[in-house]
Amino acid sequence: MPREIQKIIVMGLGYIGLPTASMLATKGHQVLGVDVNETAVNIINSGRIHIVEPDLDILVRSAVNSGNLRAALLPEEGDTFILAVPTPFKEENGNLKAPDLSYVQAATRAIAPFLREGNLVILESTSPVGTTEVVEQIILDLRPELAGKVHCAHCPERVLPGQILRELVDNDRIIGGTSKAALAKARTLYKTFCNGAILETDSRTAELSKLVENSFRDVNIAFANELSLICDRLGVNVWETIALANRHPRVNILQPGPGVGGHCIAVDPWFIVSSAPAEARLIRTAREVNDAKPHWVLEKVRAKAQRFRDPIIGCLGLTFKANIDDMRESPSMDIVQRLRESQIGTVLACDPNVASDKVPFPLFELKDVLKQADILLLLVDHTEFTEIDPQMIKDKVVIDTKGVLR
Ligand code: SAJ
């Protein structure tokens, strides 16, 4: 049990807000989760979940049953307010992608009337540099009498979808305060459930650190994706090349794929690019390299299809990575949809993790796709696909974007 039980308001009950709210509730805090989605609010209040994440259902059920977690459409007064709302990007000038802070601004305006002296406001959403100061300014504009009396901090979430609950507890946590009091209060709160180190800094450095983590990964995946194009041009196996290079003690190349998806790595680097466009040349190019990969895969299929009249193209996988059901920014989904529009052949899509009502086209069983396809396009390394018997596909044209059907 925490030494000091707080009333905590969590704004946004998605992949970050809901696990965080439930975790705090199971540690004894009184938590009110707020979301604009009425269906989600009702589902959570009945002890169930509206998203897919291993073991989250158990945590939410126990938090709701304990009476410590409630969900609602509007906030109330409390001790700490956590903002865990989306920060997507919007197209600007046709090309540069600018952060869309409208959800952060709306959530801040929604809590402002409920703030009291001594409250802590934590921004967890991945945000461009300066956003915590923007949150503070919105509060002061609406409640000038609270100047110096409400504390703001940025504590970026860093958990990996598929392993959220473990990483919420085990990962080190960066907290960036706009004041010493904000840092002290945030440290006390996160210590109630976080076993990792609590690393203190200012809010701008915390904001940039989070963006840098995801940009580091994006740049490194872009290197692997560029290698896959180079190897294809030179007739060399990219997977073997990377495996061999990685035997050097100071080389650790990531894996190529059909592109980079998800709501984080494909988005966050743009927040750096839009704040420092002249300087962020490598980060921008990496985004462009990764974003161009689906088109390259499509052209590969087109080239292989030329020897057939109306080939059946079996597409394996729709999600943005293996063994999850999440299709946000998924390059695989993009490729399948563009293939369907291309008239290159007849597309049979298959994904054992995706429910048929989640996609606007029919899904087929793996065994049927394996039987009928002339061309087999592997897009996601779901376990079911990595276990395909090579004998079953030896007569097919195989395009394996993840290198698992070797
Ligand atoms: N991918 C590759 N090759 C690789 C690794 C990944 O093509 O070698 C692709 C995946 O297939 C996927 C995309 O990259 O399409 C992103 O997948 P991921 O597993 O690398 O990361 P996410 O988006 O699920 O979660 C990331 C994590 N950030 C880092 O690892 C630095 C996570 O810790 C963050 O909390 C999360 O973003 C977030 O919310 O920002």
CSV table of all heavy atoms in Angstrom, one decimal, residues 16 126 157-161 167 171 210 213-214 217 221 225 254-265 268 320-322 331 402, ligand 1:
chain,number,residue,atom,x,y,z
A,16,ILE,N,-2.2,3.3,-22.9
A,16,ILE,CA,-1.4,3.7,-21.8
A,16,ILE,C,-2.2,4.1,-20.6
A,16,ILE,O,-1.9,3.7,-19.5
A,16,ILE,CB,-0.5,4.9,-22.3
A,16,ILE,CG1,0.3,4.5,-23.5
A,16,ILE,CG2,0.3,5.4,-21.1
A,16,ILE,CD1,1.2,3.3,-23.3
A,126,THR,N,3.3,11.1,-25.6
A,126,THR,CA,4.5,11.4,-26.3
A,126,THR,C,4.3,12.8,-27.0
A,126,THR,O,3.3,12.9,-27.8
A,126,THR,CB,4.8,10.3,-27.3
A,126,THR,OG1,4.9,9.1,-26.7
A,126,THR,CG2,6.1,10.6,-28.1
A,157,GLU,N,5.5,7.8,-21.4
A,157,GLU,CA,5.3,6.3,-21.3
A,157,GLU,C,6.4,5.7,-22.3
A,157,GLU,O,6.7,6.3,-23.3
A,157,GLU,CB,3.9,5.9,-21.7
A,157,GLU,CG,3.5,6.3,-23.1
A,157,GLU,CD,3.9,5.4,-24.2
A,157,GLU,OE1,4.4,4.3,-23.8
A,157,GLU,OE2,3.8,5.7,-25.4
A,158,ARG,N,6.9,4.5,-21.9
A,158,ARG,CA,7.9,3.8,-22.7
A,158,ARG,C,7.6,2.4,-22.9
A,158,ARG,O,8.5,1.6,-23.2
A,158,ARG,CB,9.3,4.0,-22.0
A,158,ARG,CG,9.6,5.4,-21.7
A,158,ARG,CD,10.7,5.4,-20.7
A,158,ARG,NE,12.0,5.7,-21.3
A,158,ARG,CZ,13.2,5.6,-20.6
A,158,ARG,NH1,13.2,5.3,-19.4
A,158,ARG,NH2,14.3,5.8,-21.3
A,159,VAL,N,6.4,1.9,-22.7
A,159,VAL,CA,6.1,0.5,-22.6
A,159,VAL,C,5.8,-0.1,-24.0
A,159,VAL,O,5.3,0.6,-24.9
A,159,VAL,CB,4.9,0.2,-21.7
A,159,VAL,CG1,5.2,0.4,-20.3
A,159,VAL,CG2,3.7,1.1,-22.1
A,160,LEU,N,6.2,-1.3,-24.2
A,160,LEU,CA,6.1,-2.0,-25.5
A,160,LEU,C,4.7,-2.7,-25.6
A,160,LEU,O,4.4,-3.6,-24.8
A,160,LEU,CB,7.2,-3.0,-25.7
A,160,LEU,CG,7.4,-3.6,-27.0
A,160,LEU,CD1,8.0,-2.6,-28.0
A,160,LEU,CD2,8.3,-4.9,-27.0
A,161,PRO,N,3.9,-2.3,-26.6
A,161,PRO,CA,2.6,-3.1,-26.8
A,161,PRO,C,2.9,-4.6,-26.8
A,161,PRO,O,3.8,-5.0,-27.5
A,161,PRO,CB,2.1,-2.5,-28.1
A,161,PRO,CG,2.7,-1.2,-28.2
A,161,PRO,CD,4.1,-1.3,-27.6
A,167,GLU,N,6.5,-4.1,-18.5
A,167,GLU,CA,7.4,-2.9,-18.7
A,167,GLU,C,6.9,-1.7,-17.9
A,167,GLU,O,7.8,-0.9,-17.5
A,167,GLU,CB,7.4,-2.6,-20.2
A,167,GLU,CG,8.2,-3.6,-21.0
A,167,GLU,CD,8.8,-3.1,-22.2
A,167,GLU,OE1,8.7,-1.9,-22.6
A,167,GLU,OE2,9.6,-3.9,-22.9
A,171,ASN,N,10.4,-1.0,-16.3
A,171,ASN,CA,11.2,0.0,-17.0
A,171,ASN,C,11.6,1.1,-16.1
A,171,ASN,O,10.9,1.5,-15.2
A,171,ASN,CB,10.5,0.6,-18.2
A,171,ASN,CG,10.3,-0.4,-19.3
A,171,ASN,OD1,10.7,-1.5,-19.3
A,171,ASN,ND2,9.7,0.0,-20.4
A,210,LYS,N,12.2,10.9,-25.0
A,210,LYS,CA,11.2,10.0,-25.5
A,210,LYS,C,11.2,9.9,-27.0
A,210,LYS,O,11.2,8.8,-27.6
A,210,LYS,CB,9.8,10.3,-24.9
A,210,LYS,CG,8.7,9.6,-25.6
A,210,LYS,CD,8.7,8.1,-25.4
A,210,LYS,CE,7.9,7.4,-26.5
A,210,LYS,NZ,7.1,6.4,-26.0
A,213,GLU,N,14.3,8.1,-28.3
A,213,GLU,CA,14.3,6.7,-28.2
A,213,GLU,C,13.6,6.0,-29.5
A,213,GLU,O,14.1,5.1,-30.1
A,213,GLU,CB,13.5,6.2,-27.0
A,213,GLU,CG,14.2,6.5,-25.7
A,213,GLU,CD,13.3,6.4,-24.5
A,213,GLU,OE1,12.1,5.9,-24.6
A,213,GLU,OE2,13.7,6.9,-23.4
A,214,ASN,N,12.4,6.6,-29.8
A,214,ASN,CA,11.7,6.0,-31.0
A,214,ASN,C,12.4,6.3,-32.3
A,214,ASN,O,12.4,5.5,-33.2
A,214,ASN,CB,10.3,6.4,-30.9
A,214,ASN,CG,9.5,5.6,-29.9
A,214,ASN,OD1,10.0,4.6,-29.4
A,214,ASN,ND2,8.2,5.9,-29.7
A,217,ARG,N,15.3,3.9,-32.9
A,217,ARG,CA,14.8,2.7,-33.5
A,217,ARG,C,14.4,2.8,-35.0
A,217,ARG,O,14.7,2.0,-35.8
A,217,ARG,CB,13.6,2.1,-32.6
A,217,ARG,CG,13.4,0.7,-32.7
A,217,ARG,CD,12.9,0.1,-31.5
A,217,ARG,NE,12.3,-1.2,-31.7
A,217,ARG,CZ,13.0,-2.4,-31.7
A,217,ARG,NH1,14.3,-2.3,-31.4
A,217,ARG,NH2,12.4,-3.5,-31.9
A,221,ILE,N,16.0,0.8,-38.0
A,221,ILE,CA,15.2,-0.1,-38.9
A,221,ILE,C,15.3,0.4,-40.4
A,221,ILE,O,15.4,-0.4,-41.3
A,221,ILE,CB,13.7,-0.1,-38.5
A,221,ILE,CG1,13.5,-0.7,-37.1
A,221,ILE,CG2,12.8,-0.9,-39.4
A,221,ILE,CD1,12.2,-0.5,-36.4
A,225,ASN,N,16.2,-1.7,-43.6
A,225,ASN,CA,15.3,-1.7,-44.8
A,225,ASN,C,16.1,-1.3,-46.0
A,225,ASN,O,15.9,-1.9,-47.1
A,225,ASN,CB,14.1,-0.8,-44.6
A,225,ASN,CG,13.0,-1.5,-43.9
A,225,ASN,OD1,12.8,-2.8,-44.0
A,225,ASN,ND2,12.2,-0.8,-43.1
A,254,LEU,N,19.2,-4.1,-36.9
A,254,LEU,CA,17.8,-4.6,-36.7
A,254,LEU,C,17.4,-5.3,-38.0
A,254,LEU,O,18.2,-5.5,-38.9
A,254,LEU,CB,16.9,-3.4,-36.3
A,254,LEU,CG,17.2,-2.8,-35.0
A,254,LEU,CD1,16.2,-1.6,-34.7
A,254,LEU,CD2,17.0,-3.8,-33.9
A,255,GLN,N,16.1,-5.7,-38.0
A,255,GLN,CA,15.6,-6.6,-39.1
A,255,GLN,C,14.8,-5.8,-40.1
A,255,GLN,O,14.0,-4.9,-39.7
A,255,GLN,CB,14.7,-7.7,-38.5
A,255,GLN,CG,15.5,-8.6,-37.6
A,255,GLN,CD,16.6,-9.3,-38.2
A,255,GLN,OE1,16.4,-10.0,-39.2
A,255,GLN,NE2,17.8,-9.2,-37.7
A,256,PRO,N,15.0,-6.0,-41.4
A,256,PRO,CA,14.1,-5.4,-42.4
A,256,PRO,C,12.7,-6.0,-42.3
A,256,PRO,O,12.5,-7.0,-41.7
A,256,PRO,CB,14.7,-5.7,-43.7
A,256,PRO,CG,15.7,-6.8,-43.5
A,256,PRO,CD,15.9,-6.9,-42.0
A,257,GLY,N,11.7,-5.3,-43.0
A,257,GLY,CA,10.4,-5.8,-43.0
A,257,GLY,C,9.6,-5.1,-44.1
A,257,GLY,O,10.2,-4.5,-45.0
A,258,PRO,N,8.3,-5.1,-44.1
A,258,PRO,CA,7.5,-4.5,-45.1
A,258,PRO,C,7.4,-3.0,-44.9
A,258,PRO,O,6.8,-2.3,-45.7
A,258,PRO,CB,6.1,-5.2,-45.0
A,258,PRO,CG,6.0,-5.5,-43.5
A,258,PRO,CD,7.4,-5.9,-43.1
A,259,GLY,N,7.9,-2.5,-43.8
A,259,GLY,CA,7.8,-1.0,-43.5
A,259,GLY,C,7.7,-0.9,-41.9
A,259,GLY,O,7.7,-2.0,-41.3
A,260,VAL,N,7.5,0.3,-41.4
A,260,VAL,CA,7.4,0.4,-40.0
A,260,VAL,C,6.0,0.9,-39.7
A,260,VAL,O,5.5,1.9,-40.3
A,260,VAL,CB,8.4,1.4,-39.5
A,260,VAL,CG1,8.2,1.8,-38.0
A,260,VAL,CG2,9.8,0.8,-39.6
A,261,GLY,N,5.3,0.2,-38.7
A,261,GLY,CA,4.0,0.6,-38.3
A,261,GLY,C,3.8,0.9,-36.9
A,261,GLY,O,4.8,1.1,-36.2
A,262,GLY,N,2.6,1.0,-36.4
A,262,GLY,CA,2.3,1.3,-35.1
A,262,GLY,C,2.1,2.8,-34.9
A,262,GLY,O,2.5,3.6,-35.8
A,263,HIS,N,1.6,3.2,-33.7
A,263,HIS,CA,1.3,4.6,-33.5
A,263,HIS,C,2.4,5.4,-32.9
A,263,HIS,O,2.3,6.5,-32.6
A,263,HIS,CB,0.1,4.7,-32.6
A,263,HIS,CG,0.2,3.8,-31.4
A,263,HIS,ND1,0.3,2.4,-31.5
A,263,HIS,CD2,0.3,4.1,-30.1
A,263,HIS,CE1,0.5,1.9,-30.3
A,263,HIS,NE2,0.5,2.9,-29.5
A,264,CYS,N,3.6,4.7,-32.8
A,264,CYS,CA,4.7,5.4,-32.1
A,264,CYS,C,5.9,5.7,-33.0
A,264,CYS,O,6.2,6.8,-33.3
A,264,CYS,CB,5.2,4.5,-30.9
A,264,CYS,SG,3.8,4.0,-29.9
A,265,ILE,N,6.6,4.6,-33.4
A,265,ILE,CA,7.8,4.7,-34.2
A,265,ILE,C,7.6,5.4,-35.5
A,265,ILE,O,8.4,6.1,-36.1
A,265,ILE,CB,8.5,3.4,-34.3
A,265,ILE,CG1,9.0,3.0,-32.8
A,265,ILE,CG2,9.7,3.4,-35.2
A,265,ILE,CD1,9.8,1.7,-32.7
A,268,ASP,N,6.5,9.4,-34.0
A,268,ASP,CA,7.2,10.3,-33.2
A,268,ASP,C,8.4,11.0,-33.8
A,268,ASP,O,8.7,12.2,-33.5
A,268,ASP,CB,7.7,9.6,-31.9
A,268,ASP,CG,6.5,9.0,-31.1
A,268,ASP,OD1,5.4,9.3,-31.4
A,268,ASP,OD2,6.8,8.2,-30.2
A,320,PHE,N,0.6,-4.6,-37.4
A,320,PHE,CA,1.8,-3.8,-37.6
A,320,PHE,C,3.0,-4.6,-37.1
A,320,PHE,O,4.2,-4.2,-37.5
A,320,PHE,CB,1.7,-2.4,-37.1
A,320,PHE,CG,2.0,-2.2,-35.6
A,320,PHE,CD1,3.3,-2.1,-35.2
A,320,PHE,CD2,1.0,-2.1,-34.7
A,320,PHE,CE1,3.6,-1.9,-33.8
A,320,PHE,CE2,1.3,-1.9,-33.3
A,320,PHE,CZ,2.6,-1.8,-32.9
A,321,LYS,N,2.8,-5.6,-36.3
A,321,LYS,CA,3.9,-6.5,-35.9
A,321,LYS,C,3.3,-7.9,-35.5
A,321,LYS,O,2.1,-8.0,-35.5
A,321,LYS,CB,4.9,-5.9,-34.9
A,321,LYS,CG,4.3,-5.6,-33.6
A,321,LYS,CD,5.4,-5.1,-32.6
A,321,LYS,CE,4.8,-4.8,-31.3
A,321,LYS,NZ,5.9,-4.3,-30.4
A,322,ALA,N,4.2,-8.8,-35.1
A,322,ALA,CA,3.8,-10.2,-34.9
A,322,ALA,C,3.0,-10.3,-33.6
A,322,ALA,O,3.2,-9.7,-32.6
A,322,ALA,CB,5.1,-11.0,-34.8
A,331,PRO,N,2.0,-1.2,-42.2
A,331,PRO,CA,2.4,-1.3,-43.6
A,331,PRO,C,1.8,-2.5,-44.3
A,331,PRO,O,1.5,-2.4,-45.5
A,331,PRO,CB,3.9,-1.4,-43.5
A,331,PRO,CG,4.2,-1.8,-42.1
A,331,PRO,CD,3.1,-1.4,-41.3
A,402,LYS,N,9.8,-10.8,-44.1
A,402,LYS,CA,10.3,-10.9,-42.7
A,402,LYS,C,11.4,-12.0,-42.6
A,402,LYS,O,11.9,-12.2,-41.5
A,402,LYS,CB,9.2,-11.2,-41.7
A,402,LYS,CG,8.1,-10.1,-41.6
A,402,LYS,CD,8.6,-8.8,-41.1
A,402,LYS,CE,8.9,-8.9,-39.6
A,402,LYS,NZ,9.3,-7.5,-39.1
B,1,SAJ,N1,10.3,-3.4,-36.8
B,1,SAJ,C1,11.1,-3.8,-37.9
B,1,SAJ,N2,12.3,-4.3,-37.6
B,1,SAJ,C2,12.8,-4.5,-36.4
B,1,SAJ,C3,12.0,-4.1,-35.3
B,1,SAJ,C4,10.8,-3.5,-35.5
B,1,SAJ,O1,10.7,-3.6,-39.0
B,1,SAJ,O2,13.9,-5.0,-36.2
B,1,SAJ,C5,9.0,-2.8,-37.0
B,1,SAJ,C6,7.8,-3.6,-36.5
B,1,SAJ,O3,7.5,-4.7,-37.3
B,1,SAJ,C7,6.8,-2.5,-36.3
B,1,SAJ,C8,7.6,-1.3,-36.0
B,1,SAJ,O4,8.9,-1.6,-36.3
B,1,SAJ,O5,6.1,-2.3,-37.5
B,1,SAJ,C9,7.5,-0.9,-34.5
B,1,SAJ,O6,7.6,-2.0,-33.6
B,1,SAJ,P1,8.4,-2.1,-32.3
B,1,SAJ,O7,8.2,-3.4,-31.7
B,1,SAJ,O8,9.9,-1.7,-32.6
B,1,SAJ,O9,7.9,-0.9,-31.4
B,1,SAJ,P2,6.4,-0.4,-30.9
B,1,SAJ,O10,5.9,0.7,-31.9
B,1,SAJ,O11,5.5,-1.5,-30.6
B,1,SAJ,O12,6.8,0.3,-29.5
B,1,SAJ,C10,7.7,1.4,-29.4
B,1,SAJ,C11,8.8,1.0,-28.3
B,1,SAJ,N3,9.9,1.9,-28.5
B,1,SAJ,C12,11.2,1.5,-28.5
B,1,SAJ,O13,11.5,0.3,-28.5
B,1,SAJ,C13,12.3,2.5,-28.6
B,1,SAJ,C14,8.1,1.2,-27.0
B,1,SAJ,O14,9.1,1.0,-25.9
B,1,SAJ,C15,7.5,2.5,-26.8
B,1,SAJ,O15,6.8,2.7,-25.5
B,1,SAJ,C16,6.4,2.7,-27.9
B,1,SAJ,O16,7.1,2.6,-29.2
B,1,SAJ,C17,5.7,4.0,-27.7
B,1,SAJ,O17,4.6,4.0,-27.2
B,1,SAJ,O18,6.3,5.0,-28.0
